[in-house]
Each structure stands twice: as C-alpha cells, then as structure tokens.
Amino acid sequence: MSDLIYRVNMSNLSFSIEEVPAGWMGLGGRGLTSTIVASEVDPECHPLGPNNKMVFAPGLLSGTSASNSGRNSLGAKSPLTGGIKESNVGGTSAGIFSKLGVKALIIEGIPQDTSSFYQLHITKDNVEFIKVPELVGKNNYFVLDAMLAKYDKKVAVMSIGRPGEMCMLTSNISVKDPKGKLRSHGRGGLGAVMGSKKIKCITVDAADYKEVTIADPEKFKAASKIFTKALQENPISGEGLPAFGTNVLVNIINEAGGLPTRNFRSGTFEFAENICGETMAENIKARGGDTTHGCHAGCVIQCSQTYNDKDGKYLTSGFEYEMIWAFGANLGIKDLDLIAKIDALMDDLGLDAIETGVTLGLAVDAGILEYGDGERAYKLIAEDIANGTPLGRIIGSGAGNLGKLYGLVRVPVVKNQSIPAYEPRAIKGQGVTYVTTPMGADHTAGYAVATNILNSGGYVDPLKKEGQVELSRNLQIASAAVDSTGMCIFVAFPALDDPACLPALIDMINARFGIAITADDVMNLGKNILKTEHAFNLKAGLGNASDRIPEFMKYEKLPPHNVVWDFTNEEIDEFWNF
Amino acid sequence: MINVTVKLFAQYRENRFKVEQRVYKKGIHASEIIEELGVAKALPIGVLMVNSRHESESYILQEGDIIALFPKVGGG
C-alpha cells in the first residue's frame, strides 16, 4: 500500500486519510512541508491563529536502512520570523511515520473550546483526540514518561513544555530519541504553533508498523553500502564528529576570529579552552559518559553524547556546539558543567538553545544579568520563563522583541531570528546565508563555514566578499535537497569532498521508489524549494529589505580582524538571480 | 632564531601538547614544523592558520607568529 496524507482538523477534532496528490508524490521532508505550507497556508495569516498549519513529513529515505536517514521535517508559518519555516530533527519520529505509511501529517485549525490541551495519537487507520489535563503545566520528560507508561516503548513522542503552552517564541518541539532522551525541532518558535493548536503531545504508534517497501532491494543495498562507507571514511563524519561532537568547532571558530563573544562584540573568547570539544571529550572520558550517541536509528556518525558531572552523575545529552557557544562565549559562562545543567533544563522545558542564549546575551545590555552569571541565567529560565512571569515572557519572546522593549540597537537577528554561532562579519559566506535564507538567521540552511573555515568543498577566504554569494547559493540549493531526503546535514561533509557519496545517495532514492532521477534533478528540486519558500515570504511581507544584516555590523568593527559587514544591497539581492 | 607559538587541536593533542612557545631557525616553513611534530602521520592537516588566517604549508614563519594546526574537523 502506498503512503498517505493524514489530515487533522483541530477546529472540530476530525481527521481524514487522503491519497497523495500527484504533485506531492516525489517530495519528502522539507520539499514536501514547504510545498504544502506554500499551497495551503495564507502567507498573511497570523501564525498563532486558526489559519496556520503544521506539516510533519519524514524524508524520502526515512524508515529505510540507509545510514543517517532519520530526519523528520516540520513546516509552518513561523511566529518568530513571520515567514515560512522548516525545522528538521533526529529522534524516532521520521522512521515511525514512514513505516506507518504516513507521508505527511497536516494539522490545521484551533479548537473552539481552548480550555483543554489534547494528545493526538496516530495509528494506522485512526487519529485519537485525547484530553490530557494531567499533562498541562508539565514539561517534556514528564510527558515522555507518561507516554512510555501507556504505549509500546518504541512509540514516537513529540511534545511541548510549559513555554510552548504559553506560545512563547523561543519554544520548540521535543522528540524522543532512540535512547529515550530528547531532540528538538529547534528554531522559529514552532512550539508556540503547537501550543496555539492546544496540542500538548503527538504520539505515533510503533506497535503496528511494517517495514517500508523498496522497489529495487539489490540496487538499494549496493548503493547504501557505498554511501555508508563514504560517511565512515570521511575524516569529519568518520573521526572528528564521533570523537569530539559538534563542539569540536569552538576552538577552530575561535582561532579564526569568528566566535561571537559577549553579544557579538568580539570574534574570540578568552575562555574557549574551558568549553571546547577537546575539554568536553576529556571530561566524558574521565567521568564515564559516552562520546558516541546517535540521535536517530541508523546513524553511523554518532556525534551526540552523554555528559556527566564530576561525580559521574548524568547531566545532559545532545550537548551541541551552538548551545555551548550561546551560553559560553556569547553569554560569557566559562563553566561547561553549568552550561550542561542549563542544556538539560532547556530540553525539559522545550526551549530553542540559540534563541534563548542570544536573548540572554542581549539581556546583559538591558541590565537584566551580568556576563558569566550562569546561576542567574539558570534562574531566569527555570523560574521566569518556566512560570511565565512578565520578565520570563519578555525573554521568552526572543532577542528581536527584547531588543525593541529595552531600546537596544545591537540586536543580532535576521528576520527577527537570532544569529547563531558564527560571526557574519568574519565568516562572510555564512553571513550571506543568514540574510538570504527564507528561514531567518539559520546556520544549517547553507553551511558556508565548511568552505570558509573548514576547508571542506574547497576554500573561499572568509574575510573577503568574492565568491560568497555563489558559495552560499550553491550550498542552500544542496541543503534544501538534502533536507528532503531525511538525511542528516553532516552527510554534506563527505558529499563535498568524496565523489562517490552523492551518486550513492541518488541511487538509494531511485532504488527506493523505482525511479531514475539525476544529480541535475536533485539540484532543480533544491532550487524549486528555495523559490517556493521565497515566494511565500514575499507574500508574507518579507521582501529584499528583510534580507539584511543588523545595521550595527556595518559600522562596528569586529576584533581581532577588525572587519565590518561590507556587502551592498545589490550584491546580496543578486542571490535570488537563479 | 625566531619565537613561534604552536597550537595543536583535536586528535593532534594526544601525547603532545595544547600550546607551546617554541624556537625555530629563521626561514622555517610550516611544513617543517608539521614534519617535526609528526602530527600529520595518522591524520592529514585539515586546516593550518597563522595569526588566525588560513595559510598553506609552504608559509615561512616570522618572529612572533602563532601557528594553529587542525586535522579535518566539522560540525554545525
């Protein structure tokens, strides 16, 4: 039986299971979520109102045995940016959706009676709407435990914490991973969209699924073997990421002068060594944690980890570079264990690490806390954000809004979304991605750091403008396509440097569906996705004038290279000329 | 002779050092320092920076330079 579209209407608590329209057939992941959002959501709608929709879609290869294919995409109009959003996540949801035959889950409407929160339980032929008063006011791990007590242990769980219930723009959606920890649809305030629809959690039945059908199993197996080998033999995906995690980046980005420090005042942090990946790996070794943990089944990279405290007691997992940067260099905290404690708290509450960390970095300028005061940062999250005090609501509304309320100028956002862990003035290709991606400032949309700093896919000088627009465009097209396959973004490292990698990926898609797409088709898919997303944003009011870096970066020189953002508007607008 | 700060990262640190002040003969190339330390035997050089700028292994070190050596690393 072929895959189907599951459509849920929260306005009257009904559902339908539909055939896949011909135009959506070859799409998955981001390609499918953005296509559905663009065709069904009014770009002018209020993101928290009845006319926004949430669209979940596993990637084209999710649910198969292909390595690293377990990413699930979620699309909607973002309440943070006001534009289209796709946020993808590891965890177990993509594989289980695929095995159940769910090509996409579309959730529309808002209940007439907003006094209750619901659990949606998706099974092969049914969607149950269950009122969950016992989960209201609780956070993600409480919800996860309740669902694991109720269903088969493999059940997929997607949930929001209290900030999501309160529709805060820093709230995300948490997803159970294979070890029973949490991963996140992190960015763009999608937890608020789920909260607005009065959905506390979504569970997907794993007791009753079947394996996905492969059109040409032999061809699939052969291609899959080549692909896995490319991942394992690449020095980044095969050695560096398993050994040090994504946090290996602290030192190299710091050395290059591109580590945003104390709300983007410098490109180097004097305590980088305290928080770097090498220190983290040493701590894990000494304290009995685990440096290798996959965020989804079938991951051969294993960049995640379990991080314990000095007494060997569990502190957190999925401890990523962007989180450690946001609270480390950007907020000036030099105690890695304290950052880990904050990470675990934010997982439980369901908060975007980047948006929350950048907002707190800006809150120093507002006089709310001091740089390096991790205890105060912890309290602001645990007490103010979690309880929705007026100050918690301000911080929970993200950096752009906090900046406006406190009359601040140095506000590091693009399309109202916080700029992540790479300085656009010192890593200019990445800056081009921040200003042009339809997602708002997002590092994963086109990871030019690879070619500006890491010598992956060649080298383009990070401090010069030449070649950056073209680099970012090529990477954004490729990323949009990869985000449609269900593949983890880190397959990009072997794909950039190993000629066997990308053809093997395409062969797997062809063998899965019995089709014959080419590399050109994949690039065209990426281009179409970007154009579809851009067209939505233009109708939502996010035109060229929103493709801009915060003005202070144009006149404030960033040490140590003393560089400013020096692109003209015309140079940036050239991005969309393809 | 010239004074050079050498920084090592990721796997290059194992059984070596994080950072050291070292003295070299004038005119030394980065490749000779890499050879002397033996870092590239198991994992080739991924990124070489001098004073926070990318350079090639043929770079000739100057008094006071800071050279940083990384195997291929990545994340995001």
Side-chain angles (χ1 to χ4, degrees), chain A residues 236 241 244 248-249 251-252 255 273 278 322 422 443 447 453-456 459 461 463 490 493 497 561, chain B residues 7-11 13-14 18 43 46-49 51-54 66 68 70 72-76:
Chain A
I236 297 177
L241 280 168
F244 301 103
V248 73
L249 289 172
N251 275 332
I252 194 163
E255 191 64 27
E273 194 57 42
E278 290 89 333
E322 280 73 21
Y422 315 88
H443 61 289
Y447 193 64
I453 304 291
L454 308 174
N455 286 349
S456 281
Y459 174 70
D461 189 334
L463 300 185
F490 296 151
F493 290 113
D497 289 328
H561 296 299
Chain B
K7 293 182 180 178
L8 301 179
F9 296 96
Q11 291 94 334
R13 289 180 170 186
E14 285 162 24
K18 292 179 184 174
L43 285 171
V47 172
L48 186 168
M49 285 187 227
N51 305 330
S52 294
R53 296 286 282 141
H54 291 67
I66 301 168
F70 300 84
K72 270 269 191 182
V73 295

Side-chain angles (χ1 to χ4, degrees), chain A residues 103-114:
Chain A
K103 190 166 177 71
L105 168 66
I106 304 172
I107 303 173
E108 46 197 51
I110 283 178
Q112 310 284 323
D113 170 10
T114 55

Side-chain angles (χ1 to χ4, degrees), chain A residues 82-84 415 437-439 532-543:
Chain A
I84 198 165
K415 299 183 177 67
T437 168
M439 300 298 146
T532 300
E533 292 169 345
H534 188 227
F536 182 97
N537 279 1
L538 291 176
K539 288 184 210 154
L542 297 175

Side-chain angles (χ1 to χ4, degrees), chain A residues 148-487:
Chain A
L148 289 175
K150 200 169 162 185
Y151 300 106
D152 181 281
K153 293 281 175 265
K154 280 164 118 185
V155 66
V157 183
M158 293 159 264
S159 61
I160 56 171
R162 295 172 74 190
E165 287 181 24
M166 291 183 273
C167 295
M168 288 188 187
L169 302 184
T170 46
S171 65
N172 64 26
I173 297 171
S174 295
V175 179
K176 174 179 169 280
D177 83 3
K179 288 193 180 170
K181 301 300 179 193
L182 297 171
R183 316 298 308 182
S184 319
H185 289 286
R187 306 219 65 196
L190 296 181
V193 181
M194 188 150 146
S196 76
K197 298 196 177 303
K198 311 305 284 185
I199 300 169
K200 182 67 182 175
C201 71
I202 302 168
T203 46
V204 190
D205 176 52
D208 194 22
Y209 62 58
K210 57 175 176 43
E211 295 305 313
V212 300
T213 325
I214 307 285
D216 186 343
E218 285 310 307
K219 188 178 166 190
F220 188 89
K221 214 171 138 189
S224 172
K225 212 172 148 187
I226 296 167
F227 183 73
T228 302
K229 194 162 165 264
L231 295 187
Q232 288 173 330
E233 288 184 352
N234 180 270
I236 297 177
S237 54
E239 307 233 17
L241 280 168
F244 301 103
T246 58
N247 199 33
V248 73
L249 289 172
V250 165
N251 275 332
I252 194 163
I253 304 300
N254 187 57
E255 191 64 27
L259 188 71
T261 297
R262 296 186 177 84
N263 192 31
F264 295 75
R265 285 188 165 81
S266 167
T268 54
F269 181 45
E270 68 277 26
F271 298 112
E273 194 57 42
N274 296 44
I275 61 165
C276 69
E278 290 89 333
T279 298
M280 187 166 102
E282 269 175 34
N283 288 353
I284 290 173
K285 209 172 156 190
R287 299 168 178 186
D290 178 11
T291 54
T292 51
H293 173 149
C295 79
H296 61 278
C299 169
V300 297
I301 300 177
Q302 306 267 310
C303 72
S304 193
Q305 64 299 102
T306 307
Y307 186 81
N308 295 339
D309 69 9
K310 289 191 176 86
D311 304 319
K313 206 170 139 248
Y314 174 85
L315 264 179
T316 197
S317 66
F319 198 22
E320 306 297 337
Y321 165 66
E322 280 73 21
M323 165 69 203
I324 293 163
W325 159 77
F327 286 80
N330 196 54
L331 191 50
I333 303 173
K334 57 184 176 182
D335 178 348
L336 190 58
D337 291 0
L338 188 48
I339 301 172
K341 201 177 131 192
I342 296 171
D343 183 54
L345 171 69
M346 296 210 304
D347 277 351
D348 194 31
L349 291 172
L351 290 168
D352 174 9
I354 296 169
E355 197 61 45
T356 307
V358 171
T359 307
L360 286 168
L362 189 61
V364 174
D365 289 0
I368 296 167
L369 76 167
E370 300 286 328
Y371 286 125
D373 191 349
E375 297 296 344
R376 171 85 171 131
Y378 186 93
K379 275 191 177 172
L380 285 167
I381 299 166
E383 293 170 13
D384 289 286
I385 295 183
N387 293 317
T389 67
L391 181 57
R393 292 268 186 179
I394 291 169
I395 298 168
S397 68
N401 291 325
L402 182 137
K404 279 192 184 126
L405 286 166
Y406 282 86
L408 302 173
V409 174
R410 302 182 74 269
V411 183
V413 298
V414 178
K415 299 183 177 67
N416 204 42
Q417 180 167 290
S418 289
I419 296 178
Y422 315 88
E423 240 297 342
R425 285 167 285 185
I427 310 175
K428 292 188 192 292
Q430 195 58 34
V432 173
T433 294
Y434 293 153
V435 297
T436 53
T437 168
M439 300 298 146
D442 174 350
H443 61 289
T444 67
Y447 193 64
V449 174
T451 311
N452 278 180
I453 304 291
L454 308 174
N455 286 349
S456 281
Y459 174 70
V460 175
D461 189 334
L463 300 185
K464 294 187 176 147
K465 294 196 286 182
E466 288 70 31
Q468 306 290 10
V469 170
E470 191 188 1
L471 171 68
S472 174
R473 185 195 292 130
N474 290 339
L475 288 168
Q476 289 195 51
I477 290 167
S479 299
V482 168
D483 286 344
S484 303
T485 62
M487 285 290 161

Side-chain angles (χ1 to χ4, degrees), chain A residues 132-153:
Chain A
V132 284
E134 72 281 9
L135 300 182
V136 175
K138 304 294 185 188
N139 292 316
N140 289 312
Y141 277 109
F142 186 96
V143 175
L144 185 55
D145 288 345
M147 295 304 116
L148 289 175
K150 200 169 162 185
Y151 300 106
D152 181 281
K153 293 281 175 265

Side-chain angles (χ1 to χ4, degrees), chain A residues 490-501:
Chain A
F490 296 151
V491 309
F493 290 113
L496 284 167
D497 289 328
D498 181 343
C501 184

